[in-house]
Amino acid sequence: MSYLVEVKTSLKKGMLNPEASTIQKALALLNYEVDDTKTSNIITFKMDADDIKTAEAEVDEMCQKLLCNPVIHDYEITISEE
């Protein structure tokens, strides 16, 4: 079975996020006041697996090994049938 996968990674709470700080400062210079700016990355791909549970396990392993650094990142996995 083929699945569409989306992995959203973001820095854990308390981690410094210079990209978000720069965005917030730039918006303030344009007279837009925003609070609690965060950034995230979204990785999407298709994969084949026997069932959704197998796909979830494989994607979680991918996240732990390559797609993010579990020490500093949180991640959210969304999987749907193609």
Side-chain angles (χ1 to χ4, degrees):
M1 188 155 256
S2 189
Y3 296 96
L4 299 173
V5 179
E6 179 181 279
V7 178
K8 180 180 176 184
T9 64
S10 59
L11 289 171
K12 289 187 176 191
K13 188 174 178 116
M15 298 300 299
L16 293 178
N17 190 338
E19 183 179 26
S21 296
T22 300
I23 291 168
Q24 188 167 347
K25 288 175 186 173
L27 287 171
L29 289 172
L30 296 171
N31 294 320
Y32 296 106
E33 295 300 322
V34 296
D35 294 323
D36 199 25
T37 306
K38 298 177 184 175
T39 60
S40 61
N41 294 314
I42 299 175
I43 304 160
T44 60
F45 55 91
K46 294 179 185 177
M47 69 178 291
D48 292 328
D50 293 334
D51 55 48
I52 196 159
K53 291 289 184 190
T54 303
E56 288 171 349
E58 287 183 18
V59 174
D60 187 62
E61 187 176 323
M62 290 175 196
C63 290
Q64 295 287 326
K65 290 183 174 182
L66 177 70
L67 300 179
C68 71
N69 179 345
V71 174
I72 62 170
H73 293 114
D74 287 326
Y75 61 91
E76 181 181 321
I77 299 169
T78 304
I79 299 176
S80 59
E81 289 185 26
E82 184 176 47

